[in-house]
Amino acid sequence: MIKNGAFLAIGLFAGLACAQEPAPPSPAPPEPYPETVPVAQPAEPAPKKDDSPSKTELSEVVVTATKREQSVRKIPSTINAINGEELEQMGARELQDYLKLIPGITLQEGDNDTNRTISIRGIGPQSGGLIINNQNATTGVLLDDVSLTDPYGSFMIPDLDPFDLHDLEVLKGPQGTLFGAGALNGAIRYVLNKPKLGATEGKGFANYLTLAHGGAGVNYGAALNIPVGEALAFRVMGMRQTLPGLYDDINANGKHDVDADSGGKSMWRGMVAWKPLDALTVNAFFLHQQNHRDDLSIGNTGARDAGYGEFARNNTPGPSTSTQKFDVANLDLRYELPWFTVISETSSSQKHQDVTYDGSAVADPAAQQGVQTLTFRSKADTLALSEELRLASISAPDNPWVWLAGAYINRYKATVFFNTVVANSQVLGSLLGPGGVIPNLPIDPPIVLFPNEDGLSAQDITYDPLRATEMSLFGELTRKLFDNKLELTLGARAYREWLSVQPVDEGADGAYGGFIGAADAQHQKNAGMSPKGSIKYQWTKNLLSYLTVARGFQFGGVNGPAPLPSDNVYAFSFRPSTIWSYEIGTRTDWLARTLQFDLTAFWIDWTDMQLRQDVPSGNTDYIANVGKARSLGVESALRWLTPIPGVLLTNALAYIRATVGETYTNESGMEIVKGTELPASPHLSTSTSLAYTKFFGPFSGGANVSFSWIGGAWNNVAHEVRIFGYGSLDGGLTLSAPQWTLAPELGVSVNNILDRRGIAGARYLKEGSQILDEMIVYTKPRAITARLAFHF
């Protein structure tokens, strides 16, 4: 009733507005606030924030999250943006370094850069499966407008290095109208610096990073913009990072690998901008990134209890490695006509993940003696091809209409492989036999092993092929009224989705007298409409209010075969889920625009939510639709250019209550009651920073300090492992000489100054309802980064 009434009101309001006769042409009065800037061609990077001592008011932050250039505080939804230069100066290298600065979004870490989950406003998956997260993502990841989100599963969440970014944008609330099924309740959007026509510029950096209780590494990179004449420009960049190790792997057999989880990351990209005609612009880029870890980034309670310290474990006698890489290509063509711009975006993204995981912890006593029993392997290769064709109006001061319309198709294919390899069949056989340490596992008839490329395997499961297709038509229409003070927007996306999976199962089913080979292909087809509407009113030049109602959607999916027949108690497929989001907010400016304060309240209803469940034995998991959930909350943001020259104070806060909306019983027999908190959804999170800039002679100096806090939460809806509940005090100093050749800059940043410990993620191995072993991902200890940078 609420959503129907809201859209009826918006529709009536829009209808009355459309019925008005256009006013006679007359000179337009000066507008009381910055207008939306149309995107007639790929925009030059928006002006950077300038909060230098000479500033007398706060500048606007411009983003392209609505597929138009627009001031972030004039958009009727919540978007948090961090400037690319700020990310570089703080020494940020990965998601966990900067998402903590944005309350309302949480990152639950996994081992080996896998099993990560991202939640926005309490809506998200719970901790992933054994070696790969097979849950559908609720938060999209975008590179410019290219989606990097898997429509089924989350085989890899790309963690783009932030060097040479224009900005990073976190879009909160459903983004399906513009970005489709991969952004159920929000998106993380990496916006690249574009090539500049007619300008030669470059920059570079070198970092030295050292971790308390861990190792050290060197990072370096450079970017160069090269114009060729007045109509062509190239931009190239490359970076390489050493990932310092932190966790020690210790076993009674004498194995003692210090900083075992060290690794490396590298990225490069090439970009071109070409303007052969005044009306035609061509932009293209290709990006490659690869990262590798030598071992697990987890500790275990056994190691901690044995006195080895938190960053250690003693139950993984074998190696666990991971490699992730992705390639993204995009071609953007824009042709400007008198009344609108035609835009074509063609993209390709490929991802590869290969994870080998030592699962010997299921036989913990043997593992602590250095006996490797089980190895799990997961490989996933994905390819997505997409095409979007859209038309965008060209705004003018005397035109009260702004509109956008388009068509989109995305074709996705993946090959996914899981297997379980018995590294020591004699030891494992005794553990699984009568009187073994895992008595709930059926062993009659006994498991039959068979050879494969990795050794003796108990089961191989392959999804080949896994295909998904999304086709959609979308559009938004905005009507401006009353000297552009009132804006009414209606939008919608009509979509159709197809999912097809061909599973091939070998091993356990065959060992129990079942088939060995291909199962029946599984198919899903879904269609729907996701509308969006908003009312925005500019009361004065310093006060804006808005109301937005939107629907988000995500793919359904399939579950893999159970490793053991007795565990095959769940449905093979699960349905899509949807959310309705209601957001009301206000944006205010004070003290001659030196103080900004924004306040937002939201209500989210999640239907057919998809959550990972455990089978009764606890030996495997699956995805199921488990009813409804609700998230209520408020967010605030403050930015103050204080009377003290050069001092900027910022604060952001989120208070959220995200809970199960109806009681249900999972397949493990546990009753999840209405009101149970959703996973990774702390009530309170906040971030405060204080920055100071001072010019003296040819030099510029800066200092900053920030404190981020994230309240306690649970890793899953069954509330089995407590996570979060920690703060981080960070700071830094910079000294630059902007008038010198190459404008050198020296900087030192320290993250987690107090070296406080917190749990950033957790998963567990179970026997029935008993947790055999928790595997903990801790927050980074104190990290000190020394940085030398230049630009010209």
Side-chain angles (χ1 to χ4, degrees):
M1 289 296 293
I2 294 176
K3 61 193 176 194
N4 292 337
F7 271 102
L8 179 61
I10 294 174
L12 290 174
F13 209 163
L16 291 173
C18 294
Q20 291 185 352
E21 291 293 328
S26 60
E31 292 185 323
Y33 62 95
E35 264 299 332
T36 299
V37 180
V39 177
Q41 61 183 41
E44 294 293 325
K48 298 168 185 173
K49 290 193 308 180
D50 183 4
D51 297 312
S52 62
S54 61
K55 285 290 293 179
T56 59
E57 66 178 43
L58 292 165
S59 58
E60 294 285 358
V61 177
V62 177
V63 297
T64 54
T66 58
K67 299 196 175 183
R68 296 176 178 274
E69 273 195 334
Q70 199 168 5
S71 167
V72 70
R73 299 180 70 250
K74 304 303 181 183
I75 298 173
S77 62
T78 302
I79 298 175
N80 300 100
I82 305 178
N83 182 270
E85 286 194 357
E86 292 179 3
L87 292 170
E88 294 176 20
Q89 289 176 353
M90 72 174 65
R93 299 262 66 93
E94 52 190 336
L95 285 167
Q96 60 180 292
D97 293 335
Y98 43 81
L99 287 189
K100 64 184 179 182
L101 303 176
I102 304 175
I105 181 170
T106 58
L107 172 69
Q108 185 175 178
E109 282 287 3
D111 52 41
N112 272 350
D113 298 324
T114 64
N115 285 325
R116 281 175 165 155
T117 63
I118 298 175
S119 300
I120 292 181
R121 291 176 170 172
I123 304 297
Q126 54 188 356
S127 57
L130 187 61
I131 56 175
I132 198 165
N133 186 5
N134 58 343
Q135 298 169 98
N136 289 351
T138 60
T139 300
V141 177
L142 301 161
L143 182 58
D144 283 348
D145 290 335
V146 181
S147 175
L148 303 182
T149 306
D150 299 301
Y152 164 73
S154 296
F155 303 124
M156 179 174 66
I157 297 177
D159 191 351
L160 191 76
D161 189 277
F163 177 60
D164 199 35
L165 284 184
H166 177 258
D167 63 36
L168 175 106
E169 301 169 1
V170 175
L171 291 62
K172 296 178 179 177
Q175 303 299 320
T177 302
L178 294 182
F179 297 112
L184 175 73
N185 191 45
I188 297 172
R189 187 166 178 262
Y190 298 96
V191 182
L192 304 176
N193 275 325
K194 307 298 189 294
K196 296 181 180 179
L197 299 176
T200 299
E201 66 177 27
K203 64 178 180 178
F205 79 96
N207 284 357
Y208 179 79
L209 168 66
T210 178
L211 284 178
H213 320 287
V218 175
N219 316 315
Y220 51 89
L224 181 63
N225 192 90
I226 308 169
V228 180
E230 296 298 321
L232 182 66
F234 297 91
R235 191 177 188 94
V236 294
M237 66 78 62
M239 59 74 55
R240 187 170 182 84
Q241 177 184 3
T242 300
L243 300 172
L246 178 59
Y247 291 84
D248 296 344
D249 194 347
I250 303 168
N251 279 277
N253 66 344
K255 179 182 178 182
H256 191 153
D257 293 339
V258 177
D259 302 336
D261 60 319
S262 60
K265 179 193 292 186
S266 61
M267 179 178 67
W268 64 270
R269 65 176 175 263
M271 312 176 74
V272 59
W274 182 37
K275 194 173 179 61
L277 304 171
D278 288 342
L280 176 63
T281 304
V282 180
N283 271 267
F285 72 79
F286 179 84
L287 178 146
H288 170 84
Q289 180 171 306
Q290 178 170 334
N291 54 294
H292 173 81
R293 287 279 186 181
D294 294 331
D295 213 329
L296 295 171
S297 297
I298 60 172
N300 69 288
T301 53
R304 188 169 62 215
D305 295 342
Y308 296 126
E310 292 178 330
F311 299 114
R313 60 182 179 275
N314 66 342
N315 57 4
T316 55
S320 297
T321 62
S322 71
T323 298
Q324 293 90 26
K325 60 182 178 182
F326 57 94
D327 300 307
V328 184
N330 185 64
L331 174 64
D332 183 306
L333 305 175
R334 300 178 183 232
Y335 192 84
E336 184 177 343
L337 295 170
W339 299 103
F340 60 87
T341 302
V342 181
I343 305 161
S344 170
E345 290 197 70
T346 307
S347 66
S348 166
S349 62
Q350 290 182 279
K351 297 189 292 185
H352 169 79
Q353 178 166 282
D354 190 340
V355 179
T356 299
Y357 171 72
D358 177 17
S360 302
V362 300
D364 193 73
Q368 291 190 34
Q369 297 304 313
V371 179
Q372 185 177 2
T373 53
L374 282 178
T375 299
F376 301 99
R377 179 99 182 264
S378 168
K379 292 191 293 184
D381 289 280
T382 71
L383 170 64
L385 302 173
S386 68
E387 168 64 29
E388 181 172 293
L389 180 65
R390 66 182 185 269
L391 309 178
S393 65
I394 297 177
S395 296
D398 60 348
N399 187 355
W401 297 97
V402 179
W403 56 268
L404 178 76
Y408 174 81
I409 182 171
N410 181 66
R411 295 187 179 275
Y412 172 93
K413 179 181 178 181
T415 298
V416 186
F417 170 76
F418 309 86
N419 79 332
T420 303
V421 177
V422 178
N424 191 316
S425 57
Q426 291 181 342
V427 172
L428 185 63
S430 65
L431 292 169
L432 298 183
V437 298
I438 313 179
N440 289 338
L441 285 177
I443 49 86
D444 186 21
I447 293 176
V448 177
L449 306 177
F450 64 96
N452 72 358
E453 64 179 24
D454 296 306
L456 289 176
S457 180
Q459 184 180 39
D460 289 349
I461 300 174
T462 303
Y463 294 158
D464 189 13
L466 188 161
R467 299 181 185 273
T469 301
E470 178 185 348
M471 299 178 65
S472 56
L473 299 173
F474 63 93
E476 280 192 352
L477 177 64
T478 297
R479 176 69 159 104
K480 302 177 183 180
L481 298 163
F482 309 130
D483 295 329
N484 296 333
K485 291 184 177 182
L486 175 66
E487 288 188 11
L488 306 175
T489 299
L490 288 175
R493 191 181 194 99
Y495 60 90
R496 187 175 294 272
E497 308 167 351
W498 293 267
L499 177 67
S500 174
V501 181
Q502 175 64 70
V504 179
D505 183 14
E506 295 182 294
D509 285 347
Y512 284 87
F515 67 88
I516 299 180
D520 293 336
Q522 303 294 314
H523 304 279
Q524 281 197 16
K525 182 170 65 175
N526 300 285
M529 175 79 73
S530 280
K532 178 181 181 180
S534 68
I535 300 175
K536 183 179 75 173
Y537 193 80
Q538 188 85 39
W539 301 93
T540 70
K541 69 176 182 179
N542 296 323
L543 175 61
L544 177 150
S545 300
Y546 69 88
L547 167 67
T548 296
V549 182
R551 180 182 185 267
F553 63 99
Q554 68 177 157
F555 268 79
V558 299
N559 289 299
L564 298 170
S566 62
D567 286 337
N568 196 13
V569 296
Y570 50 81
F572 197 79
S573 63
F574 51 94
R575 301 183 302 276
S577 72
T578 59
I579 67 169
W580 278 96
S581 172
Y582 313 89
E583 179 175 330
I584 185 169
T586 183
R587 310 283 186 252
T588 66
D589 291 272
W590 305 82
L591 305 178
R593 294 199 174 190
T594 61
L595 174 65
Q596 295 173 346
F597 180 74
D598 303 337
L599 188 64
T600 305
F602 58 86
W603 174 314
I604 301 171
D605 285 325
W606 188 8
T607 303
D608 287 329
M609 63 174 174
Q610 302 168 0
L611 287 184
R612 188 181 62 82
Q613 306 292 302
D614 292 312
V615 299
S617 71
N619 299 312
T620 190
D621 53 59
Y622 63 99
I623 310 301
N625 301 104
V626 292
K628 300 179 180 179
R630 176 165 292 172
S631 178
L632 306 173
V634 294
E635 295 174 341
S636 67
L638 179 145
R639 192 162 162 244
W640 184 25
L641 193 60
T642 69
I644 304 173
V647 176
L648 175 68
L649 173 67
T650 63
N651 171 266
L653 181 146
Y655 182 82
I656 300 170
R657 296 299 299 266
T659 58
V660 172
E662 59 186 24
T663 299
Y664 71 94
T665 301
N666 64 23
E667 293 291 348
S668 299
M670 176 180 291
E671 185 179 61
I672 308 298
V673 301
K674 180 180 179 179
T676 300
E677 293 178 6
L678 292 182
S681 58
H683 291 172
L684 180 67
S685 55
T686 184
S687 178
T688 302
S689 66
L690 189 66
Y692 175 67
T693 303
K694 173 69 174 178
F695 290 96
F696 46 97
F699 300 102
S700 171
N704 66 86
V705 62
S706 66
F707 179 76
S708 301
W709 169 262
I710 181 169
W714 297 94
N715 74 313
N716 62 15
V717 76
H719 291 191
E720 290 173 315
V721 181
R722 192 70 172 167
I723 60 174
F724 302 157
Y726 56 80
S728 178
L729 180 66
D730 310 320
L733 299 170
T734 61
L735 176 64
S736 63
Q739 299 178 17
W740 290 10
T741 303
L742 299 182
E745 179 181 292
L746 292 171
V748 176
S749 60
V750 184
N751 291 331
N752 195 2
I753 294 173
L754 302 179
D755 198 22
R756 295 293 175 83
R757 203 71 66 247
I759 297 178
R763 61 181 178 81
Y764 50 86
L765 296 172
K766 296 177 62 180
E767 178 188 341
S769 61
Q770 179 185 2
I771 297 177
L772 297 178
D773 192 30
E774 294 178 5
M775 297 186 175
I776 305 299
V777 182
Y778 292 101
T779 54
K780 282 184 181 179
R782 182 187 299 114
I784 302 175
T785 301
R787 179 174 181 267
L788 171 64
F790 68 88
H791 71 270
F792 60 87

